[in-house]
Amino acid sequence: MPGESRGGFAAIGADPEEAQRRIQEWAQGFAEKAERYQAVQEQTERLRLTAASPDGRIKVTVRADGSVTDLEFTDKVRSMAPSELAAQILATMHRAQADIASRVGETMAAQLGDEDMQTRSMMLDNLRERFPEQPEEPEQETSSKWDAPEDDAPKPPPAAPNPSGGPSGPSATPPKPGTPPQQQPKRSQFDDYDDGDFGPDFDPLRD
């Protein structure tokens, strides 16, 4: 309607100088934002993440995109089987890559602050999916005392013979103090003869 004040682009169009100033502010804002993202890109490209194997034999360095830039060995790898060496290299590389998302997130936070949080969250989630965190390896339990195998465990010595003439072994009951030892029954003078050794006229009462 005639005489009605309108805002937005209509108001800018009514004042060419205001329109020019707004366009310059937008262009400056875009330029500053582009510079911040450029700084994030440059710092991210310079990122290097290094991890070592638990025994220190292998060291792997990767870029923020996960590619390997350096691989170091010690002389101790000479004693490793090829399959074990390959497995250790891959495990160490994955440990180095597991820190990519957190390091890129720190760089973006330092340069962008709270800007474009949704876009940054999507980018970091993608990195975490590509390079997941690795579980910590359990520490090997060590014992300060050597435990002998069950088969090699010391066995109790055999039981000594019972001097009382009774049963021997663990179940034998030792004689009570003051009890005389058991005596073997006395043998008769005829125990050494069988019944067939005596004639029909044998009389044990005869002198």
Side-chain angles (χ1 to χ4, degrees):
M1 294 182 182
E4 183 180 356
S5 61
R6 292 177 296 175
F9 286 101
I12 294 176
D15 187 351
E17 293 183 359
E18 179 67 16
Q20 183 67 23
R21 187 181 66 81
R22 293 284 184 90
I23 292 174
Q24 290 178 353
E25 289 179 355
W26 289 336
Q28 183 178 359
F30 284 128
E32 292 176 353
K33 185 175 182 178
E35 289 178 359
R36 292 194 295 272
Y37 272 93
Q38 182 66 27
V40 170
Q41 182 179 356
E42 292 176 354
Q43 293 184 19
T44 300
E45 290 178 351
R46 291 197 297 267
L47 280 177
R48 297 293 184 271
L49 301 99
T50 303
S53 60
D55 55 11
R57 299 182 182 184
I58 302 167
K59 185 181 294 184
V60 180
T61 302
V62 299
R63 295 189 181 94
D65 62 356
S67 59
V68 177
T69 64
D70 193 18
L71 184 60
E72 299 179 19
F73 298 137
T74 66
D75 292 338
K76 295 181 179 181
V77 299
R78 300 176 184 271
S79 61
M80 299 176 66
S83 58
E84 182 184 2
L85 177 60
Q88 286 287 345
I89 292 174
L90 290 176
T92 306
M93 181 185 68
H94 291 159
R95 279 195 293 271
Q97 293 172 340
D99 292 333
I100 290 177
S102 61
R103 293 290 299 277
V104 172
E106 293 173 0
T107 301
M108 297 181 73
Q111 294 294 330
L112 303 178
D114 296 333
E115 189 174 354
D116 294 340
M117 292 296 296
Q118 184 175 0
T119 302
R120 288 159 50 184
S121 178
M122 292 176 59
M123 293 174 58
L124 295 178
D125 288 344
N126 180 264
L127 289 176
R128 294 187 185 97
E129 184 177 355
R130 291 176 57 195
F131 310 115
E133 295 183 0
Q134 298 297 309
E136 296 182 0
E137 295 187 357
E139 297 182 359
Q140 297 181 353
E141 296 183 0
T142 57
S143 176
S144 59
K145 182 180 180 180
W146 180 79
D147 295 329
E150 185 176 354
D151 294 342
D152 298 337
K155 299 179 179 180
N162 193 336
S164 62
S168 61
S171 60
T173 303
K176 296 181 179 180
T179 302
Q182 297 181 3
Q183 300 294 333
Q184 295 290 340
K186 293 184 179 181
R187 296 173 59 85
S188 171
Q189 59 179 341
F190 305 110
D191 288 344
D192 295 333
Y193 299 95
D194 296 332
D195 293 342
D197 294 339
F198 304 100
D201 297 333
F202 174 74
D203 186 0
L205 299 178
R206 185 178 57 188
D207 294 337

